[in-house]
């Protein structure tokens, strides 16, 4: 049994009942044995044992009062997973599915993702099982203020800087930032994703979706192709999906699907993004309302969004949304490129199918790193008190995404796994963190 296999076996025993975290470790650790074989000092220093264990996991209750005057209680977490290369950085997620396993998987992935950006940031993640859907603004404010009343003591511009994630947008960030400022009496850049009028960054809303497309563009370029004339299937209807779809369209592609938890729409003529934005951002409605704007479109409450014929698939909704049956449909319908806009969108079985059928696949830890990259740019602007133009942010974002692609593609080749961008991302992300941990001693 190799060192990586031994560590993985023990880590699974140490984290029972946490399937998402176990899946993330199972995906990454086998690739890392290739690095250990080359640098045995990592085994001597116990790097793998340390890298699979978060530095700390904070768990706390969040009591708040609803509009009927009743006290509600939710559970919240913040995992500060690895700070070897900088302050912890990673989003806060508000969704009923949030638990310790999901937060640890996200924090683990974030450690490698942040390393790939080339920026000095460590990995963290947080969230709560609070569901903002159907809540009034006052209820959301009450929850956010209560959460920050506990969380603030663990944050700092050089310690831990959360951002948004599923269920956490500019509104929620604003309520949390206001409470942090109220408690501490200090105006510090301890949250990113803020509104532009009080310290946010232009381009942050677009960042993850645009960054995803910039990386996909490099994948296409490697194969001598472009977005022009391609058909794209996108899942989700939040910021990532919306801005990924927008950038695809700007580059000449036709986006034919979007979705939410209720189902998906298929518009053979190409998605009307203005309609989607009206539904999701103004009405805060459901994707099936799209039929009001185009009666020729189709809505499916059940079935696989990945059964729609496409050249490129961009899963942008949530973890494990692309499973083996969906991957088989993509193969059958001639899809050639898959890049993840959400974290760990694709199950191990689906990844295997993609690789076996020569579908060029990029994992989320590389492909959706645009959001955290621009978050760090926001931190820089906060520190200097000088805002950047959208053009500067977008140019820096594209450079970072192109650099990530070059790094993971070259790393895969260097280790004899040409075109295996998942292995390249796992190894390239690990190498920087491992070197930093080794240099800093047994801490």
């Amino acid at each position: 049994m190799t060192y990586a296999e031994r560590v993985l076996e023990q880590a699974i025993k140490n984290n029972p009942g946490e399937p998402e975290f176990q899946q993330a470790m199972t995906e990454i650790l086998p690739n890392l044995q290739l690095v250990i074989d080359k640098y045995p000092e990592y085994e001597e220093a116990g790097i793998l044992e340390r890298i699979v264990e978060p530095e700390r996991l904070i768990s706390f209750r969040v009591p708040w009062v609803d509009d009927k005057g009743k006290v509600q209680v939710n559970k919240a977490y913040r995992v500060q997973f690895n700070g070897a290369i900088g302050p912890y950085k990673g989003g806060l997620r508000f969704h009923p599915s949030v638990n310790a396993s999901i937060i640890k998987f996200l924090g683990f992935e974030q450690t490698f993702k942040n390393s790939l950006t080339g920026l000095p940031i460590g990995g963290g993640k947080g969230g709560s099982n609070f569901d903002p859907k159907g809540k009034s603004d006052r209820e959301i404010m009450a929850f956010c203020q209560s959460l920050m009343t506990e969380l603030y003591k663990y944050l700092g511009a050089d310690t831990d800087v959360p951002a948004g994630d599923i269920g956490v947008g500019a509104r929620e960030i604003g309520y949390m930032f206001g409470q942090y400022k109220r408690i501490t009496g200090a105006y510090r850049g301890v949250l990113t994703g803020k509104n532009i009028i009080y310290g946010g960054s232009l381009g942050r809303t677009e960042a993850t979706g645009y960054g995803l497309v910039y990386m996909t563009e490099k994948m296409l370029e490697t194969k001598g192709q472009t977005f022009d004339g391609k058909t794209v299937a996108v899942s989700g209807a939040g910021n990532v999906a919306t801005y990924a779809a927008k950038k695809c369209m700007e580059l000449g592609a036709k986006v034919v699907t979007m979705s939410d938890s209720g189902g998906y729409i298929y518009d053979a003529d190409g998605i009307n993004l203005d309609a989607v934005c009206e539904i999701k951002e103004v009405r805060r409605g459901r994707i099936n309302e799209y039929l009001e704007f185009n009666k020729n479109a189709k809505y499916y409450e059940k079935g696989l969004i990945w059964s729609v014929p496409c050249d490129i698939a961009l899963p942008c909704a949530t973890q494990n949304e692309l499973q083996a049956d969906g991957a088989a449909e993509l193969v059958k319908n001639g899809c050639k490129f898959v890049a993840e806009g959400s974290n760990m969108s694709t199950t191990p079985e689906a990844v295997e199918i993609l690789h076996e059928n020569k579908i060029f696949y990029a994992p989320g830890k590389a492909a959706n790193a645009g959001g955290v990259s621009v978050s760090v740019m926001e931190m820089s602007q906060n520190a200097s008190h000088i805002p950047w133009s959208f053009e500067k942010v977008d140019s820096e974002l594209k450079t970072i995404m192109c650099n990530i692609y070059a790094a993971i593609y070259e790393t895969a080749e260097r280790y004899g796994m040409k075109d295996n961008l998942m292995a390249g991302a796992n190894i390239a992300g690990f190498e920087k963190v491992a070197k930093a941990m080794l240099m800093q001693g047994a801490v």
Side-chain angles (χ1 to χ4, degrees), residues 25-255:
M25 292 189 292
T26 302
E27 177 213 288
I28 291 174
L29 285 179
N31 292 148
L32 304 186
Q33 185 60 44
L34 296 170
V35 187
I36 303 301
D37 291 341
K38 193 172 181 179
Y39 302 103
E41 59 267 32
Y42 290 159
E43 181 173 359
E44 294 170 14
I47 294 294
L48 292 188
E49 289 93 338
R50 289 152 59 190
I51 212 165
V52 298
E53 191 66 35
E55 291 175 14
R56 63 193 58 83
L57 174 64
I58 303 147
S59 173
F60 55 98
R61 69 184 182 192
V62 184
W64 56 282
V65 180
D66 67 20
D67 285 344
K68 297 178 181 178
K70 181 174 174 56
V71 174
Q72 304 287 344
V73 180
N74 286 95
K75 194 162 188 174
Y77 307 87
R78 184 68 183 173
V79 64
Q80 296 175 334
F81 213 102
N82 191 295
I85 60 174
Y88 309 106
K89 189 86 189 78
L92 295 168
R93 174 177 295 192
F94 294 171
H95 192 272
S97 67
V98 166
N99 56 34
S101 175
I102 286 176
I103 294 302
K104 285 162 73 175
F105 126 62
L106 291 169
F108 186 59
E109 288 272 304
Q110 196 79 37
T111 298
F112 298 95
K113 179 192 301 185
N114 292 357
S115 172
L116 287 170
T117 67
L119 301 168
I121 42 173
K125 205 75 180 181
S128 171
N129 61 0
F130 173 78
D131 187 356
K133 288 181 182 175
K135 305 292 193 304
S136 70
D137 283 351
R138 193 213 64 81
E139 288 176 320
I140 290 170
M141 181 176 67
F143 173 81
C144 290
Q145 290 175 341
S146 181
L147 180 139
M148 186 53 71
T149 299
E150 175 63 24
L151 185 60
Y152 86 96
K153 64 190 76 170
Y154 305 105
L155 307 183
D158 297 311
T159 307
D160 188 349
V161 185
D165 195 87
I166 294 172
V168 179
R171 174 182 57 175
E172 290 77 15
I173 293 291
Y175 292 148
M176 288 187 282
F177 183 75
Q179 184 70 351
Y180 178 90
K181 188 162 60 72
R182 198 171 293 115
I183 293 169
T184 64
Y187 202 105
R188 300 191 185 100
V190 297
L191 286 164
T192 56
K194 301 184 293 297
N195 188 286
I196 190 66
I197 66 172
Y198 66 94
S201 175
L202 291 169
R204 177 61 187 90
T205 305
E206 297 89 343
T208 307
Y210 278 19
L212 170 65
V213 176
Y214 293 147
M215 175 158 289
T216 309
E217 191 175 27
K218 296 300 292 184
M219 295 167 69
L220 286 158
E221 185 181 300
T222 299
K223 303 300 180 183
Q225 300 180 45
T226 69
F227 268 103
D228 193 41
K230 296 290 192 299
T231 299
V232 184
V234 174
S235 66
N239 281 343
V240 180
T242 298
Y243 288 103
K246 180 181 179 183
K247 183 57 70 172
C248 287
M249 293 175 191
E250 288 177 3
L251 294 173
K254 180 170 70 171
V255 176

